[in-house]
Amino acid sequence: MDEQPKSRPNLINRLPPEIAFKILSALPDIRSLQAVVLSCRTFYSAFSGIKDSIANNVLLNQVDIDVLPEAITMSAAKSTLLPSFEDGREREQAISNFIRQNVAQRPKPPQIWPLDRSLRIGRFHSCVEQWAMRYIAHVPAADEKCTQRALYLFETYWTLFRKMEENRKLSQQKRQFFPSLSREIAIYLVGVEDFIMADIQPVIIELGDKFEFEWFQGFGRRELVRRATTPWTEGILTLGLERLYQITTAQTSDDRECVRAILKNVQKYDDTKTF
Protein backbone atom coordinates (compact mmCIF):
# COMPACT_ATOMS: atom_id res chain seq x y z
CA MET A 1 0.00 0.00 0.00
CA ASP A 2 1.44 3.38 -1.05
CA GLU A 3 2.27 5.75 1.75
CA GLN A 4 0.37 9.00 1.76
CA PRO A 5 2.67 12.00 1.28
CA LYS A 6 3.13 13.95 4.45
CA SER A 7 1.65 17.40 4.35
CA ARG A 8 4.19 20.15 4.75
CA PRO A 9 3.55 23.06 7.05
CA ASN A 10 2.70 26.30 5.30
CA LEU A 11 5.70 28.44 6.17
CA ILE A 12 3.97 31.63 5.03
CA ASN A 13 1.39 31.20 7.78
CA ARG A 14 4.24 31.19 10.30
CA LEU A 15 5.70 34.51 9.18
CA PRO A 16 5.98 37.08 11.98
CA PRO A 17 3.84 40.16 11.27
CA GLU A 18 6.90 42.41 10.92
CA ILE A 19 8.33 40.16 8.17
CA ALA A 20 4.99 40.09 6.36
CA PHE A 21 4.95 43.89 6.57
CA LYS A 22 8.42 44.10 4.99
CA ILE A 23 7.45 41.71 2.20
CA LEU A 24 4.30 43.65 1.37
CA SER A 25 6.09 47.00 1.56
CA ALA A 26 8.72 45.80 -0.93
CA LEU A 27 6.22 44.91 -3.67
CA PRO A 28 6.75 46.84 -6.93
CA ASP A 29 3.24 48.17 -7.54
CA ILE A 30 -0.31 48.45 -6.25
CA ARG A 31 -1.61 45.68 -8.51
CA SER A 32 0.93 43.23 -7.04
CA LEU A 33 -0.03 44.34 -3.53
CA GLN A 34 -3.70 43.61 -4.17
CA ALA A 35 -2.86 40.15 -5.56
CA VAL A 36 -0.58 39.18 -2.67
CA VAL A 37 -2.93 40.46 0.02
CA LEU A 38 -5.70 38.25 -1.36
CA SER A 39 -3.42 35.21 -1.69
CA CYS A 40 -3.42 34.10 1.96
CA ARG A 41 -4.65 35.00 5.41
CA THR A 42 -1.20 35.93 6.75
CA PHE A 43 -0.68 38.73 4.26
CA TYR A 44 -4.30 39.83 4.51
CA SER A 45 -4.02 40.14 8.30
CA ALA A 46 -0.72 42.01 8.07
CA PHE A 47 -2.18 44.41 5.53
CA SER A 48 -5.42 44.96 7.45
CA GLY A 49 -3.54 46.25 10.47
CA ILE A 50 -1.61 49.04 8.70
CA LYS A 51 -3.19 49.48 5.27
CA ASP A 52 -2.25 53.11 4.73
CA SER A 53 1.41 52.63 5.61
CA ILE A 54 1.90 49.57 3.39
CA ALA A 55 0.05 51.08 0.44
CA ASN A 56 2.10 54.25 0.83
CA ASN A 57 5.37 52.27 0.71
CA VAL A 58 4.29 50.34 -2.38
CA LEU A 59 3.17 53.51 -4.16
CA LEU A 60 6.63 55.00 -3.57
CA ASN A 61 8.11 51.87 -5.14
CA GLN A 62 5.87 52.29 -8.17
CA VAL A 63 5.90 56.05 -8.81
CA ASP A 64 9.21 57.87 -8.97
CA ILE A 65 9.56 60.57 -6.34
CA ASP A 66 10.18 63.16 -9.11
CA VAL A 67 6.87 62.22 -10.75
CA LEU A 68 4.84 62.04 -7.56
CA PRO A 69 3.95 65.78 -7.31
CA GLU A 70 2.20 65.63 -10.69
CA ALA A 71 0.44 62.41 -9.65
CA ILE A 72 -0.78 64.19 -6.51
CA THR A 73 -1.98 67.14 -8.60
CA MET A 74 -3.89 64.84 -10.96
CA SER A 75 -5.51 63.03 -8.03
CA ALA A 76 -6.48 66.32 -6.44
CA ALA A 77 -8.01 67.57 -9.70
CA LYS A 78 -10.19 64.48 -9.89
CA SER A 79 -11.29 64.63 -6.26
CA THR A 80 -11.67 68.39 -5.76
CA LEU A 81 -15.30 69.45 -5.61
CA LEU A 82 -15.43 72.55 -7.79
CA PRO A 83 -18.38 74.95 -7.73
CA SER A 84 -21.14 73.99 -10.14
CA PHE A 85 -21.18 75.23 -13.71
CA GLU A 86 -24.07 77.54 -12.84
CA ASP A 87 -21.77 79.42 -10.46
CA GLY A 88 -19.52 80.57 -13.30
CA ARG A 89 -17.35 83.15 -11.56
CA GLU A 90 -16.89 81.02 -8.45
CA ARG A 91 -15.81 78.10 -10.62
CA GLU A 92 -13.35 80.30 -12.53
CA GLN A 93 -11.83 81.45 -9.25
CA ALA A 94 -11.66 77.89 -7.89
CA ILE A 95 -9.80 76.67 -10.99
CA SER A 96 -7.41 79.64 -10.84
CA ASN A 97 -6.69 78.86 -7.19
CA PHE A 98 -6.17 75.18 -7.99
CA ILE A 99 -3.65 75.97 -10.74
CA ARG A 100 -1.77 78.39 -8.52
CA GLN A 101 -1.65 76.02 -5.52
CA ASN A 102 -1.22 72.65 -7.23
CA VAL A 103 0.34 73.24 -10.65
CA ALA A 104 2.57 76.28 -10.25
CA GLN A 105 3.68 74.97 -6.85
CA ARG A 106 4.39 71.26 -7.07
CA PRO A 107 2.86 69.69 -3.95
CA LYS A 108 5.01 67.74 -1.50
CA PRO A 109 4.01 64.11 -0.90
CA PRO A 110 2.44 63.51 2.52
CA GLN A 111 4.19 61.13 4.90
CA ILE A 112 1.25 58.72 4.87
CA TRP A 113 -1.35 58.42 2.11
CA PRO A 114 -4.96 57.40 2.64
CA LEU A 115 -5.38 53.90 1.23
CA ASP A 116 -8.00 54.85 -1.36
CA ARG A 117 -5.77 57.59 -2.77
CA SER A 118 -2.78 55.24 -3.05
CA LEU A 119 -4.91 52.68 -4.87
CA ARG A 120 -6.28 55.26 -7.32
CA ILE A 121 -2.87 56.69 -8.18
CA GLY A 122 -1.29 53.25 -8.39
CA ARG A 123 -3.92 51.97 -10.81
CA PHE A 124 -3.74 55.13 -12.93
CA HIS A 125 0.06 55.02 -13.00
CA SER A 126 -0.10 51.74 -14.91
CA CYS A 127 -1.82 53.66 -17.72
CA VAL A 128 0.74 56.45 -17.50
CA GLU A 129 3.56 53.90 -17.83
CA GLN A 130 1.97 52.40 -20.94
CA TRP A 131 1.57 55.78 -22.63
CA ALA A 132 5.12 56.77 -21.62
CA MET A 133 6.55 53.61 -23.18
CA ARG A 134 4.67 54.30 -26.42
CA TYR A 135 5.85 57.90 -26.50
CA ILE A 136 9.49 57.05 -25.79
CA ALA A 137 9.41 54.38 -28.51
CA HIS A 138 8.34 57.20 -30.85
CA VAL A 139 10.79 59.76 -29.37
CA PRO A 140 13.76 57.73 -28.08
CA ALA A 141 15.54 60.79 -26.70
CA ALA A 142 12.61 61.60 -24.40
CA ASP A 143 13.21 61.41 -20.66
CA GLU A 144 10.92 58.91 -18.92
CA LYS A 145 10.30 61.01 -15.81
CA CYS A 146 9.51 64.15 -17.80
CA THR A 147 7.20 62.15 -20.05
CA GLN A 148 5.31 60.72 -17.08
CA ARG A 149 5.03 64.14 -15.47
CA ALA A 150 3.62 65.54 -18.72
CA LEU A 151 1.08 62.72 -18.94
CA TYR A 152 -0.21 63.43 -15.43
CA LEU A 153 -0.48 67.13 -16.33
CA PHE A 154 -2.35 66.19 -19.51
CA GLU A 155 -4.92 64.39 -17.36
CA THR A 156 -5.05 67.30 -14.90
CA TYR A 157 -5.68 69.83 -17.66
CA TRP A 158 -8.49 67.90 -19.31
CA THR A 159 -10.01 67.13 -15.91
CA LEU A 160 -10.20 70.82 -15.01
CA PHE A 161 -11.55 71.87 -18.41
CA ARG A 162 -13.51 68.77 -19.36
CA LYS A 163 -16.97 70.34 -19.47
CA MET A 164 -16.31 73.82 -20.65
CA GLU A 165 -19.18 73.59 -23.12
CA GLU A 166 -21.47 73.94 -20.08
CA ASN A 167 -19.52 76.82 -18.60
CA ARG A 168 -18.68 80.37 -19.52
CA LYS A 169 -15.37 81.09 -21.17
CA LEU A 170 -12.39 80.06 -19.09
CA SER A 171 -9.77 81.37 -21.49
CA GLN A 172 -7.97 83.18 -18.67
CA GLN A 173 -7.66 79.93 -16.70
CA LYS A 174 -6.45 78.06 -19.80
CA ARG A 175 -3.79 80.72 -20.38
CA GLN A 176 -2.79 80.43 -16.73
CA PHE A 177 -2.09 76.69 -16.88
CA PHE A 178 0.87 76.45 -19.28
CA PRO A 179 2.86 79.43 -17.93
CA SER A 180 2.62 77.73 -14.52
CA LEU A 181 4.84 74.92 -15.82
CA SER A 182 8.57 74.91 -16.41
CA ARG A 183 9.49 75.45 -20.06
CA GLU A 184 10.81 71.88 -20.34
CA ILE A 185 7.63 70.25 -19.00
CA ALA A 186 5.40 72.53 -21.09
CA ILE A 187 7.25 71.34 -24.21
CA TYR A 188 6.85 67.73 -23.12
CA LEU A 189 3.13 68.28 -22.52
CA VAL A 190 2.63 69.66 -26.03
CA GLY A 191 4.60 66.77 -27.50
CA VAL A 192 2.67 64.16 -25.53
CA GLU A 193 -0.67 65.64 -26.58
CA ASP A 194 0.32 65.69 -30.25
CA PHE A 195 1.51 62.08 -30.01
CA ILE A 196 -1.69 60.86 -28.35
CA MET A 197 -3.84 62.46 -31.03
CA ALA A 198 -1.71 60.92 -33.79
CA ASP A 199 -1.83 57.53 -32.06
CA ILE A 200 -5.61 57.36 -31.69
CA GLN A 201 -6.42 59.01 -35.03
CA PRO A 202 -6.38 55.85 -37.24
CA VAL A 203 -8.60 53.85 -34.88
CA ILE A 204 -11.15 56.64 -34.50
CA ILE A 205 -11.31 57.25 -38.26
CA GLU A 206 -11.73 53.53 -38.93
CA LEU A 207 -14.51 53.13 -36.36
CA GLY A 208 -16.11 56.44 -37.32
CA ASP A 209 -16.40 55.30 -40.94
CA LYS A 210 -17.70 51.91 -39.87
CA PHE A 211 -20.29 52.97 -37.31
CA GLU A 212 -21.16 56.40 -38.76
CA PHE A 213 -21.19 58.36 -35.53
CA GLU A 214 -23.34 61.44 -35.84
CA TRP A 215 -20.60 63.79 -34.67
CA PHE A 216 -18.09 62.18 -37.03
CA GLN A 217 -19.95 62.62 -40.31
CA GLY A 218 -19.41 66.33 -40.68
CA PHE A 219 -16.45 68.35 -39.52
CA GLY A 220 -15.29 65.67 -37.04
CA ARG A 221 -13.75 63.39 -39.66
CA ARG A 222 -12.15 66.21 -41.63
CA GLU A 223 -10.59 67.70 -38.53
CA LEU A 224 -9.24 64.33 -37.42
CA VAL A 225 -7.65 63.71 -40.81
CA ARG A 226 -6.03 67.13 -40.68
CA ARG A 227 -5.04 66.53 -37.04
CA ALA A 228 -6.01 70.14 -36.40
CA THR A 229 -6.55 71.54 -32.92
CA THR A 230 -10.30 72.04 -33.14
CA PRO A 231 -13.35 71.69 -30.89
CA TRP A 232 -13.91 68.11 -32.11
CA THR A 233 -10.35 66.89 -31.64
CA GLU A 234 -10.15 68.53 -28.24
CA GLY A 235 -13.47 66.93 -27.37
CA ILE A 236 -11.79 63.55 -27.91
CA LEU A 237 -8.89 64.48 -25.62
CA THR A 238 -11.33 65.21 -22.79
CA LEU A 239 -11.97 61.44 -22.62
CA GLY A 240 -8.79 61.12 -20.56
CA LEU A 241 -5.75 58.85 -20.75
CA GLU A 242 -7.42 55.61 -19.69
CA ARG A 243 -10.17 55.76 -22.29
CA LEU A 244 -7.78 57.01 -24.95
CA TYR A 245 -5.49 54.05 -24.26
CA GLN A 246 -8.49 51.74 -24.45
CA ILE A 247 -9.27 53.20 -27.89
CA THR A 248 -5.78 52.85 -29.31
CA THR A 249 -5.27 49.27 -28.05
CA ALA A 250 -8.68 47.88 -29.07
CA GLN A 251 -8.10 44.58 -30.90
CA THR A 252 -10.97 42.13 -30.38
CA SER A 253 -14.58 42.64 -31.42
CA ASP A 254 -15.53 43.08 -27.77
CA ASP A 255 -12.84 45.76 -27.39
CA ARG A 256 -14.17 47.55 -30.46
CA GLU A 257 -17.72 47.46 -29.10
CA CYS A 258 -16.53 49.10 -25.89
CA VAL A 259 -14.74 51.77 -27.91
CA ARG A 260 -17.83 52.23 -30.05
CA ALA A 261 -19.84 53.03 -26.92
CA ILE A 262 -17.19 55.54 -25.82
CA LEU A 263 -16.92 57.32 -29.17
CA LYS A 264 -20.64 57.38 -29.84
CA ASN A 265 -21.11 60.01 -27.16
CA VAL A 266 -18.12 62.25 -27.87
CA GLN A 267 -19.21 65.84 -27.43
CA LYS A 268 -17.90 68.89 -29.18
CA TYR A 269 -15.52 70.79 -26.91
CA ASP A 270 -16.74 74.38 -27.02
CA ASP A 271 -15.43 77.17 -24.79
CA THR A 272 -17.21 79.87 -26.77
CA LYS A 273 -20.60 79.51 -25.11
CA THR A 274 -21.57 81.87 -22.34
CA PHE A 275 -24.58 82.12 -20.07
Side-chain angles (χ1 to χ4, degrees):
M1 188 174 183
D2 294 337
E3 293 184 7
Q4 294 292 327
K6 294 181 180 179
S7 61
R8 296 181 180 180
N10 189 333
L11 297 180
I12 291 180
N13 290 336
R14 297 184 177 184
L15 285 176
E18 60 272 19
I19 300 300
F21 170 81
K22 289 184 177 181
I23 291 173
L24 293 175
S25 295
L27 291 171
D29 53 53
I30 292 295
R31 183 174 297 178
S32 300
L33 174 64
Q34 291 176 305
V36 173
V37 164
L38 297 175
S39 67
C40 72
R41 185 173 298 176
T42 298
F43 287 130
Y44 183 83
S45 298
F47 179 72
S48 298
I50 38 178
K51 295 178 181 179
D52 290 350
S53 181
I54 292 174
N56 179 73
N57 292 339
V58 173
L59 186 66
L60 292 174
N61 297 338
Q62 182 178 4
V63 183
D64 191 278
I65 193 67
D66 290 337
V67 179
L68 207 49
E70 281 71 30
I72 295 170
T73 296
M74 182 278 300
S75 178
K78 288 182 176 293
S79 61
T80 298
L81 185 61
L82 296 170
S84 69
F85 291 103
E86 286 75 18
D87 300 323
R89 293 195 179 279
E90 289 184 23
R91 186 174 179 84
E92 290 174 12
Q93 187 60 51
I95 292 177
S96 289
N97 292 341
F98 182 92
I99 293 171
R100 186 173 61 254
Q101 296 166 8
N102 296 277
V103 179
Q105 301 178 21
R106 300 175 69 205
K108 294 181 180 180
Q111 300 221 337
I112 296 292
W113 298 75
L115 174 62
D116 60 340
R117 197 175 185 190
S118 294
L119 294 176
R120 285 198 303 271
I121 292 178
R123 285 192 289 264
F124 189 81
H125 190 72
S126 298
C127 178
V128 168
E129 288 178 314
Q130 293 300 318
W131 272 118
M133 285 191 293
R134 294 171 79 98
Y135 181 73
I136 293 171
H138 179 71
V139 186
D143 178 79
E144 183 179 15
K145 293 178 186 178
C146 290
T147 302
Q148 291 185 358
R149 289 175 60 191
L151 286 163
Y152 275 112
L153 289 167
F154 172 96
E155 189 74 10
T156 298
Y157 181 89
W158 290 113
T159 296
L160 292 176
F161 301 111
R162 182 158 288 161
K163 293 185 177 180
M164 287 179 63
E165 75 278 0
E166 298 177 34
N167 203 354
R168 60 188 301 165
K169 293 180 69 172
L170 291 176
S171 56
Q172 179 181 346
Q173 285 68 32
K174 290 176 68 178
R175 288 196 300 269
Q176 180 186 357
F177 191 92
F178 280 86
S180 299
L181 309 175
S182 70
R183 183 175 182 273
E184 179 184 33
I185 295 302
I187 292 172
Y188 266 89
L189 178 53
V190 171
V192 161
E193 185 171 296
D194 287 345
F195 170 76
I196 289 173
M197 180 54 69
D199 205 33
I200 64 175
Q201 177 202 40
V203 179
I204 296 179
I205 290 176
E206 177 190 341
L207 294 179
D209 287 336
K210 180 178 179 180
F211 297 119
E212 299 182 345
F213 302 124
E214 182 179 349
W215 65 269
F216 185 79
Q217 296 308 303
F219 292 105
R221 188 185 198 287
R222 187 178 70 186
E223 292 171 357
L224 271 171
V225 171
R226 292 171 52 222
R227 284 176 56 192
T229 301
T230 65
W232 283 118
T233 56
E234 292 190 340
I236 292 169
L237 295 178
T238 67
L239 293 171
L241 288 177
E242 290 176 309
R243 284 186 172 181
L244 292 172
Y245 188 74
Q246 187 179 357
I247 290 170
T248 196
T249 57
Q251 297 292 332
T252 68
S253 57
D254 287 344
D255 291 340
R256 293 298 178 99
E257 278 301 314
C258 290
V259 170
R260 177 186 179 182
I262 293 172
L263 293 178
K264 182 179 179 180
N265 297 314
V266 166
Q267 298 295 315
K268 184 177 180 181
Y269 176 97
D270 185 359
D271 65 353
T272 62
K273 294 182 180 179
T274 58
F275 291 122

